[in-house]
Amino acid sequence: MTRRVVIDPVTRIEGHAKISIYLDEAGEVNDARFHVVEFRGFEKFCEGRPLGEMAGITARVCGICPVSHLLASAKAGDDIFAVTIPPAAEKLRRLMNLGQIVQSHALSFFHLSSPDLLLGYDSDPSRRNLFGLIAQHPDFARGGIRLRQFGQEVIELLGGRKIHPAWAVPGGVREPLSAANRDYLRSRLPEAFATVQSALAFFKQYAETHAEEVDHFGNFPTLFAGLVSKEGGLWEHYDGYLRIVDSEGRILVDQFDPRRYAEIIGEAVEPWSYLKSPYYKPLGYPDGAYRVGPLARLNICSGMGTPLADAELAEFRRRGNAQGIVTSSFMYHYARLIEILAALERIQMLLEDPDILSPRVRASGGINKLHGVGVSEAPRGTLFHDYEVDERGMIRRVNLIIATGQNNIAMNRTVKQIAQHWIHGATNGIPEGLLNRVEAGIRAFDPCLSCSTHAIGQMPMVVTLIDSQGRVIAEARRD
Amino acid sequence: MIKTRTVDYLIIGYGNTLRGDDGAGPRVAEAVAGWGMPNVRAISAAQLTPELAEALAGAEVVIFVDAQVGQAAGRPAASITFEPLAADDERPLEAHRSDPRQLLALTRQLYGRCPSAWLIAIPGVCFDFGEALSAVAQQGVDEALRRIRALLTGQQNLAHGATPLIP
């Protein structure tokens, strides 16, 4: 007779989810599932809306990564307009996306995950949060808050607001960058570099002394997917070709136009979650599972393209397998920090480019195609916006493939692996620290669940352990 | 252009501008920002986040402005309330609920000080999807702006016994 432990909701992630852990009579883990309990519905209620509204509507899918949707939507609009946007507009869009990466990754690492790393998975849960971090590591916490603030300032100075900036549009962007704002952002870079390099030094040392987490937090072979630059296959965040690599470093897909994603990416649905499960079609479901996001982007690229990040990438790959592929999901944290470093280097390069101040930032266009696809890299992975419109530019069909959804299969496997490694003989209850490790496995992916399922849900937070007679053996509640 | 600076007054209006009367706080902050008064900074925010701590640390006085569930239309509308706040670090900052007392506590822990703090609560009766304010909330916004302007121009002082700055 099996028993089920439920973690509901998962804490310190964006969105609402629960985890079910199924135990046998001996208290050993049989299976585990990651359920997403929200439903968003953007794909449906956007039908009938004008194309021009889509960037603003889809940006409101999420309050943490609205820029990602803004850019992917604008690119879908570029495709429908059949225009090439001005060079300065692309540079400005890239600058905003880099700011987005900095602020989102900083939130994930410093606010959501570092309490576990610095205070311990078994520490007092009432203090295992930003306040507890500030009390014991004030400089670290302050640096992380200011790093995220810098990323938000990039977004705000370009788009006029930190959240949901109505700035990227089909054809380009609404406003150029002023010299004064450019100079201010330059002045903030030295501190940002120092903060992330300090965090990298900390994490590398942490990984050396926490091999158990590295080895058992979602460490398994999968494919890895994402964008790389058209020239040289370098780390990309805004445009480029789609590349898919396996865990042995073999390239399965390369120089593939991401707008043709539907030819190679399918979407499966499971009855126990609102989160769909994309997979690589030639290998079928679920063998075609792939990961996206920081870990994947570092595994698929031929280089970072900037000196400091390239040096870190070389060291990162030495911690991988013989082919230099890093398969442990715990190392998403490490990859996230390297991406912050790369983003800062690229922000610096863009701010040094005189063309970044150009006033020519928008091309005109109209409905020249009835189908457009916009693809970019969100902080959490590849994001696809696929629109069909009528002759008047009204939306007829929308398909969104969200980064977090593409990690769904991997997140489920991660939960199971962690639960099976750390939970044994659970007949009377499960220590909170073990449950926290299961949650931490999810946090490593930095999932954005509000993005992925297109609705708003509210769930009470209850962890329940029920025996075969239906009696509640243990219950934990998080408010 | 964003500048890190010290100011006498910081006005933070927060709420979801897409949920009807919840947008009252940001409306107040945007209006105050439009006044362009020296030594006054106004921030419109969707929610209170740790990144605001730096701005708080640089202010002498902070006034938070937020909507609260008020009485239904047709009944006498509750007036805005204007109450002092104290830092409270008993509960952590949460992504889905903004509590200025926790932000004050975080500011004190990070920067060694926090400003005198006040909360203006504006009654709201409709929090459905939409950007318009109800008549009740609009009345509250107008009253809040009158009170804030009187304070900033010296026509009115904060209540006696205001929480002093913590060095």
Side-chain angles (χ1 to χ4, degrees):
Chain A
M1 188 77 65
T2 61
R3 283 175 291 133
R4 186 170 68 122
V5 178
V6 176
I7 302 172
D8 182 17
V10 178
T11 61
R12 275 184 283 126
I13 60 172
E14 195 295 320
H16 300 269
K18 68 177 183 178
I19 295 170
S20 292
I21 303 171
Y22 297 89
L23 310 176
D24 62 21
E25 288 182 338
E28 298 298 309
V29 175
N30 259 342
D31 199 4
R33 284 181 182 163
F34 174 65
H35 312 261
V36 177
V37 299
E38 301 177 34
F39 174 68
R40 301 301 302 281
F42 275 68
E43 291 172 331
K44 200 60 187 174
F45 68 69
C46 284
E47 291 178 359
R49 305 307 307 173
L51 174 65
E53 287 186 359
M54 290 300 289
I57 292 175
T58 56
R60 281 159 175 80
V61 169
C62 183
I64 294 181
C65 52
V67 168
S68 306
H69 291 286
L70 194 72
L71 295 179
S73 182
K75 291 183 73 180
D78 298 339
D79 197 11
I80 289 172
F81 277 15
V83 296
T84 300
I85 70 173
E90 177 171 331
K91 291 172 184 176
L92 288 170
R93 285 183 180 182
R94 285 180 174 273
L95 181 59
M96 181 175 274
N97 203 31
L98 291 166
Q100 158 93 326
I101 287 171
V102 170
Q103 72 87 12
S104 179
H105 283 0
L107 171 70
S108 171
F109 184 79
F110 290 94
H111 294 200
L112 303 182
S113 293
S114 67
D116 293 322
L117 306 179
L118 280 160
L119 305 178
Y121 293 98
D122 302 301
S123 60
D124 179 2
S126 70
R127 300 301 293 170
R128 194 174 57 219
N129 49 49
L130 188 60
F131 272 92
L133 193 67
I134 290 169
Q136 295 197 32
H137 302 278
D139 292 340
F140 182 91
R142 190 182 304 112
I145 289 171
R146 287 177 58 80
L147 180 61
R148 186 187 184 211
Q149 185 179 353
F150 171 68
Q152 290 180 322
E153 287 173 342
V154 172
I155 297 169
E156 185 176 12
L157 290 176
L158 287 171
R161 52 196 290 179
K162 290 178 182 176
I163 302 176
H164 307 146
W167 175 77
V169 294
V173 300
R174 291 185 192 276
E175 294 289 336
L177 177 67
S178 72
N181 287 340
R182 185 263 323 262
D183 293 343
Y184 172 77
L185 292 175
R186 269 181 183 162
S187 73
R188 295 274 278 122
L189 280 170
E191 178 188 340
F193 273 111
T195 297
V196 72
Q197 287 171 314
S198 175
L200 274 164
F202 156 75
F203 187 85
K204 284 185 276 190
Q205 184 178 16
Y206 184 91
E208 291 293 327
T209 55
H210 291 78
E212 192 175 16
E213 279 80 6
V214 174
D215 291 340
H216 296 98
F217 268 43
N219 191 4
F220 42 73
T222 63
L223 306 179
F224 298 93
L227 296 178
V228 295
S229 66
K230 292 181 177 178
E231 297 293 331
L234 299 176
W235 181 80
E236 247 296 346
H237 66 96
Y238 171 77
D239 202 29
Y241 289 132
L242 193 63
R243 176 180 283 181
I244 299 179
V245 170
D246 71 12
S247 59
E248 301 303 314
R250 288 182 292 257
I251 299 177
L252 305 185
V253 173
D254 204 13
Q255 296 190 312
F256 189 89
D257 184 346
R259 293 176 298 178
R260 295 166 48 207
Y261 76 94
E263 297 176 22
I264 59 172
I265 294 176
E267 296 181 82
V269 177
E270 295 284 1
W272 35 263
S273 177
Y274 281 121
L275 189 59
K276 293 185 286 185
S277 300
Y279 62 95
Y280 177 55
K281 280 184 179 178
L283 295 183
Y285 174 77
D287 292 340
Y290 62 90
R291 283 179 271 187
V292 297
L295 184 69
R297 287 192 287 258
L298 264 61
N299 278 334
I300 66 172
C301 74
S302 303
M304 299 301 290
T306 51
L308 296 178
D310 268 326
E312 292 291 344
L313 179 67
E315 187 173 353
F316 175 83
R317 287 183 168 168
R318 285 195 289 272
R319 297 171 187 262
N321 60 21
Q323 293 76 33
I325 301 296
V326 177
T327 56
S328 168
S329 299
F330 187 80
M331 300 298 255
Y332 263 100
H333 298 306
Y334 189 3
R336 215 161 269 129
L337 293 174
I338 295 175
E339 288 202 326
I340 293 176
L341 184 63
L344 293 176
E345 289 186 285
R346 291 190 180 212
I347 288 173
Q348 187 171 50
M349 291 165 57
L350 284 168
L351 295 178
E352 296 296 331
D353 183 347
D355 195 39
I356 203 69
L357 300 180
S358 170
R360 290 180 289 275
V361 296
R362 189 170 181 177
S364 300
I367 305 303
N368 293 307
K369 290 171 57 180
L370 301 183
H371 178 221
V373 179
V375 185
S376 72
E377 289 288 332
R380 295 159 180 83
T382 319
L383 174 61
F384 299 84
H385 277 223
D386 182 342
Y387 304 160
E388 288 181 11
V389 297
D390 65 16
E391 298 286 352
R392 298 173 301 143
M394 307 302 283
I395 297 291
R396 296 182 61 170
R397 184 191 69 85
V398 176
N399 189 40
L400 306 177
I401 297 187
I402 310 298
T404 290
Q406 294 166 90
N407 284 332
N408 190 19
I409 300 173
M411 285 192 288
N412 272 275
R413 290 182 185 172
T414 295
V415 166
K416 182 177 179 180
Q417 184 182 65
I418 292 173
Q420 286 180 325
H421 180 76
W422 265 282
I423 298 174
H424 301 286
T427 56
N428 295 317
I430 300 176
E432 191 277 339
L434 293 181
L435 294 177
N436 186 43
R437 281 177 173 76
V438 173
E439 289 186 83
I442 295 298
R443 274 187 225 110
F445 287 87
D446 185 25
C448 195
L449 302 177
S450 290
C451 272
S452 313
T453 53
H454 313 286
I456 297 173
Q458 295 290 333
M459 291 292 290
M461 187 179 287
V462 177
V463 178
T464 306
L465 182 61
I466 304 171
D467 69 11
S468 58
Q469 308 303 313
R471 292 173 300 208
V472 175
I473 297 174
E475 184 174 281
R477 190 176 292 272
R478 290 187 179 88
D479 296 318
Chain B
M1 178 176 162
I2 295 172
K3 290 181 181 178
T4 301
R5 63 181 189 273
T6 57
V7 294
D8 292 333
Y9 291 98
L10 174 63
I11 316 298
I12 300 179
Y14 58 101
N16 188 342
T17 57
L18 297 180
R19 297 302 296 266
D21 291 349
D22 203 46
R27 293 281 187 97
V28 169
E30 288 162 9
V32 173
W35 295 344
M37 300 179 74
N39 288 319
V40 175
R41 182 180 178 188
I43 296 175
S44 171
Q47 56 186 179
L48 300 178
T49 59
E51 292 75 34
L52 291 170
E54 183 178 341
L56 283 165
E60 295 296 316
V61 175
V62 60
I63 300 174
F64 294 96
V65 187
D66 187 20
Q68 68 175 10
V69 177
Q71 295 181 337
R75 300 181 185 177
S79 300
I80 66 170
T81 57
F82 199 137
E83 296 179 345
L85 290 178
D88 179 3
D89 59 1
E90 290 301 309
R91 292 178 64 185
L93 277 173
E94 298 181 44
H96 294 288
R97 284 179 283 187
S98 293
D99 191 325
R101 294 169 296 176
Q102 276 87 53
L103 182 59
L104 291 168
L106 185 145
T107 302
R108 181 172 58 190
Q109 290 193 32
L110 279 176
Y111 294 97
R113 67 180 300 277
C114 72
S116 295
W118 300 79
L119 173 66
I120 294 178
I122 296 174
V125 296
C126 180
F127 294 86
D128 293 340
F129 291 107
E131 294 185 285
L133 294 180
S134 67
V136 169
Q138 185 62 58
Q139 182 179 342
V141 166
D142 294 340
E143 183 183 351
L145 288 171
R146 281 193 294 273
R147 294 282 299 272
I148 292 173
R149 183 180 282 278
L151 175 66
L152 299 182
T153 55
Q155 298 174 41
Q156 180 176 332
N157 296 320
L158 290 167
H160 293 298
T163 306
L165 292 175
I166 302 171

